[in-house]
Amino acid sequence: MDPLLKVQNLKTYFYSDQKETPAVDGVSFEINKGETLSIVGESGSGKSVTSLSILQLLPKPHGKIIGGEVLFKGENLVTKSDGEIRKIRGNDISMIFQEPMTSLNPVYTVGNQIVEVLVLHQKLSKKEAKKKAIDMLTLVGIPSADQRVNQYPHQLSGGMRQRVMIAMALACNPDLLIADEPTTALDVTTQAQILDLMNDLKTKLDTSILLITHDLGVVAETADKVAVMYLGRIVEYADVETFFESPKHPYSRGLIQSMPGLKDRVARLSPIKGQVPHPSDVKSGCRFASRCEYVESMCLSEEPPLIEVGRNKTRCWMNSEDWTGEGGINDERETVGNRKS
């Protein structure tokens, strides 16, 4: 069966003052029906720009897709006109943005904002749309939905606003839900509730999810597959169990080692040294070379391809037949992901 979404060699660049910035540079992945793919990585890795590229929500005229394909149900979204993509956006593909307070319109009730989506895409009457808006608010666990539907965003808590965003995103029963850091601004209890809600709705509605996050705890809780991004590239791609049990890329290992362990609470964390360079500063060789403890001369001269290593796909010379250094990944390091529980 063909994947629901297939992204092939996507390239999204930003232009300003004759300066070219490769925010997303040759990204490929796919999502099957009813599956959750999580894209992880530090800020500046290109995660959010990837999601905005799928729905053509890039800031114009500075952001441009200069190459690649985004195949949704076999149709290339990159070639769609503004009118055509608007029919898909919010109907077949919906998105939950990072901060609901800035995504919801403060001068309209939350009910009106859900009604607008239903009237536009489902061609319902306003009366029918309001009834469904109340049903959707109830579905996402908002109490007294018939009263909340008439309230404004500032009258709701952060958790309630995020639930409203989810209700709005799911109102048209989309085939694909893109969730960009949906729990970042929420407390731990509310975060757990939102994640449980997303998992329940995925099961009930058979919706596929593209989850963008930097929180590996969220990944372990919700994802089926993981794509690790660094500086505009995917550096590792694996199913979630393989990723945590046997990560192959030094960056993936660094992310996992930065997680507090539940079993060993006194263990020191091992943060990744340095910070993500600006995309315009990309040089030849491996993009993680400036922060990698295993770096050798071949890493500086040529960028490694994405190769298969067991059940993983990874972009690292240590996993290739050409690696001649002594900094290879040994069995002991391969179990670093066992902190997941």
Side-chain angles (χ1 to χ4, degrees):
M1 185 172 61
D2 293 334
L4 178 69
L5 178 74
K6 187 172 184 178
V7 176
Q8 293 182 304
N9 199 31
L10 179 65
K11 294 185 178 183
T12 301
Y13 287 14
F14 286 86
Y15 299 87
S16 61
D17 299 327
Q18 299 181 346
K19 186 177 183 180
E20 184 179 78
T21 302
V24 176
D25 198 10
V27 165
S28 299
F29 60 83
E30 58 185 48
I31 304 176
N32 296 315
K33 184 68 176 176
E35 185 176 73
T36 298
L37 169 69
S38 182
I39 300 181
V40 301
E42 297 167 281
S43 297
S45 296
K47 307 185 303 297
S48 294
V49 176
T50 299
S51 67
L52 295 175
S53 299
I54 292 171
L55 286 175
Q56 294 190 28
L57 290 172
L58 297 167
K60 296 181 178 180
H62 303 295
K64 296 180 181 179
I65 298 175
I66 67 163
E69 295 180 325
V70 178
L71 300 175
F72 178 69
K73 295 182 178 179
E75 297 185 19
N76 189 4
L77 301 186
V78 173
T79 61
K80 298 287 185 183
S81 65
D82 289 344
E84 290 173 328
I85 200 69
R86 274 197 295 268
K87 293 179 181 179
I88 296 172
R89 189 190 300 144
N91 190 33
D92 298 302
I93 305 176
S94 292
M95 186 166 182
I96 304 171
F97 295 92
Q98 288 190 31
E99 177 46 62
M101 196 60 191
T102 59
S103 302
L104 293 169
N105 193 320
V107 301
Y108 291 100
T109 65
V110 295
N112 279 340
Q113 296 181 62
I114 299 175
V115 165
E116 182 182 15
V117 174
L118 292 167
V119 170
L120 176 64
H121 292 295
Q122 301 291 303
K123 309 303 180 185
L124 300 180
S125 67
K126 287 191 175 181
K127 183 177 180 180
E128 292 172 327
K130 185 169 184 179
K131 182 180 182 303
K132 185 165 183 181
I134 294 173
D135 291 341
M136 291 305 301
L137 292 177
T138 301
L139 180 65
V140 298
I142 293 182
S144 305
D146 56 336
Q147 299 175 30
R148 299 287 187 181
V149 75
N150 296 315
Q151 292 186 325
Y152 293 87
H154 71 271
Q155 295 177 288
L156 304 177
S157 67
M160 288 288 191
R161 288 194 294 268
Q162 195 63 284
R163 289 172 187 266
V164 169
M165 286 292 297
I166 295 174
M168 188 183 306
L170 295 174
C172 297
N173 297 327
D175 294 302
L176 176 64
L177 176 65
I178 300 176
D180 187 1
E181 303 278 9
T183 60
T184 297
L186 305 178
D187 61 79
V188 175
T189 302
T190 306
Q191 182 184 85
Q193 293 172 348
I194 294 296
L195 292 177
D196 288 341
L197 171 63
M198 290 178 61
N199 281 333
D200 289 343
L201 293 176
K202 184 182 85 166
T203 302
K204 290 178 182 178
L205 303 177
D206 198 26
T207 299
S208 301
I209 299 177
L210 174 59
L211 176 65
I212 296 167
T213 183
H214 62 269
D215 189 335
L216 292 185
V218 172
V219 175
E221 189 75 21
T222 60
D224 298 303
K225 294 180 180 177
V226 183
V228 182
M229 280 193 74
Y230 185 79
L231 212 58
R233 295 276 206 191
I234 288 180
V235 297
E236 183 147 7
Y237 191 76
D239 65 82
V240 68
E241 291 185 2
T242 301
F243 172 74
F244 281 100
E245 291 173 0
S246 182
K248 299 299 183 185
H249 196 281
Y251 182 58
S252 301
R253 294 170 182 276
L255 292 176
I256 293 173
Q257 287 176 324
S258 299
M259 292 176 60
L262 296 179
K263 295 180 181 178
D264 189 357
R265 296 179 180 271
V266 299
R268 288 182 62 87
L269 300 182
S270 301
I272 303 172
K273 296 179 180 179
Q275 58 185 5
V276 181
H278 193 273
S280 61
D281 296 331
V282 171
K283 296 179 175 62
S284 60
C286 176
R287 301 191 176 196
F288 188 60
S290 62
R291 305 174 68 189
C292 181
E293 60 182 305
Y294 303 106
V295 66
E296 294 199 1
S297 57
M298 67 182 303
C299 305
L300 302 175
S301 60
E302 186 177 354
E303 184 178 17
L306 194 65
I307 59 174
E308 291 192 16
V309 182
R311 296 168 64 184
N312 304 55
K313 290 183 180 179
T314 185
R315 195 182 296 274
C316 180
W317 285 121
M318 284 193 297
N319 297 289
S320 75
E321 296 178 355
D322 297 324
W323 179 254
T324 57
E326 297 180 355
I329 299 175
N330 60 35
D331 293 337
E332 181 180 355
R333 292 195 184 104
E334 286 188 358
T335 61
V336 70
N338 290 337
R339 296 182 183 186
K340 177 190 173 188
S341 63

